[in-house]
Structure formats: C-alpha cells, structure tokens
Amino acid sequence: MNRNTSDVCEVYYVNEKHVAKARKALSPEREILAVAETFRNLGDPTRVKILQALTVEELCVCDLAKLLGVSESATSHQLRVLRSQKLVRFRREGKMAYYSLDDEHIDSLMREVLRHVREGVA
C-alpha cells in the first residue's frame, strides 16, 4: 500500500507540551463514547430529516410519516432511536403523540452542522 507522504510528517518529532495540553482537554472516556454514539445515530438520513423538521415545530408521528414518505411504524422506530439518545422527546395529548427536539442544544447542533455543510458546498 502506497502512503501519500504529503499529508504526514517527514520526520518523527513529538511536541510533549502540545500533547499534554491536548490530553488535558480530552473529555472523560464515557463522554467521548456518548458523543460518538450520538453522531452514529445522526448518521442516518431519515433521522436527520426528522431532527431538521423538528427544528421548525413539534410534529406528531403521522405528520412525520407523511413528511418522510414512510410508514408510521418505520417513523416510530426512528423516533425510538432518537429518544433513546435524548435527541427528541414526546408528549401525549389524548390519542396523539407529539415529538419535539429534546432541548435547545439539539437545535443548535443541527443548525451548526447545516451551516458547516452549506459553507463547505459554496
């Protein structure tokens, strides 16, 4: 396997001060794993669509299924995954189940990721 040497150091030198500073900034392992799991769950286009729709307003399962063009069962499955990661929450109103983003952090995360993507495309 040929290695592209233009993107690696040509000499091996470790700046111990920089490594120590970066190591100190690392979150605890449990937080790292939780972040990785959150991004893994955001890696599904259907779930991204759900979250993006919920940045606009609270929607019921039927609304989301119609928006996505999939069954209510498939929508509910995706919502369960998002709920398990505390990305969305639901409330019952009679026989209806309404979903919204769990908190303002999820809204900020979605907006920042979209801004990053749009700036990278432009």
Side-chain angles (χ1 to χ4, degrees):
M1 170 154 89
N2 282 340
R3 217 167 77 167
N4 182 355
T5 58
S6 65
D7 61 355
V8 296
C9 298
E10 292 182 24
V11 296
Y12 183 79
Y13 169 75
V14 176
N15 185 318
E16 294 295 343
K17 279 176 138 176
H18 291 178
V19 172
K21 186 176 179 181
R23 181 174 287 123
K24 190 174 181 178
L26 288 178
S27 298
E29 190 67 17
R30 65 180 167 70
E31 289 179 2
I32 297 289
L33 293 173
V35 169
E37 182 69 11
T38 298
F39 279 110
R40 187 180 70 75
N41 282 299
L42 292 175
D44 179 89
T46 300
R47 291 192 279 259
V48 170
K49 288 177 188 177
I50 290 170
L51 292 173
Q52 191 172 25
L54 294 177
T55 65
V56 177
E57 67 179 305
E58 178 181 71
L59 295 166
C60 75
V61 176
C62 303
D63 294 338
L64 286 165
K66 176 71 174 182
L67 173 70
L68 300 170
V70 298
S71 70
E72 288 177 37
S73 175
T75 303
S76 290
H77 170 73
Q78 298 299 341
L79 288 164
R80 275 192 299 280
V81 171
L82 293 170
R83 271 186 66 204
S84 74
Q85 290 297 303
K86 295 184 170 63
L87 297 171
V88 300
R89 63 179 163 200
F90 88 106
R91 69 176 180 84
R92 263 212 191 277
E93 189 173 297
K95 295 182 179 190
M96 302 297 289
Y98 290 95
Y99 283 82
S100 60
L101 297 178
D102 190 68
D103 60 37
E104 70 281 351
H105 299 110
I106 309 308
D107 183 62
S108 296
L109 177 65
M110 291 302 296
R111 291 181 195 283
E112 284 301 308
V113 169
L114 283 169
R115 189 170 69 112
H116 172 75
V117 167
R118 288 174 180 152
E119 286 176 1
V121 171

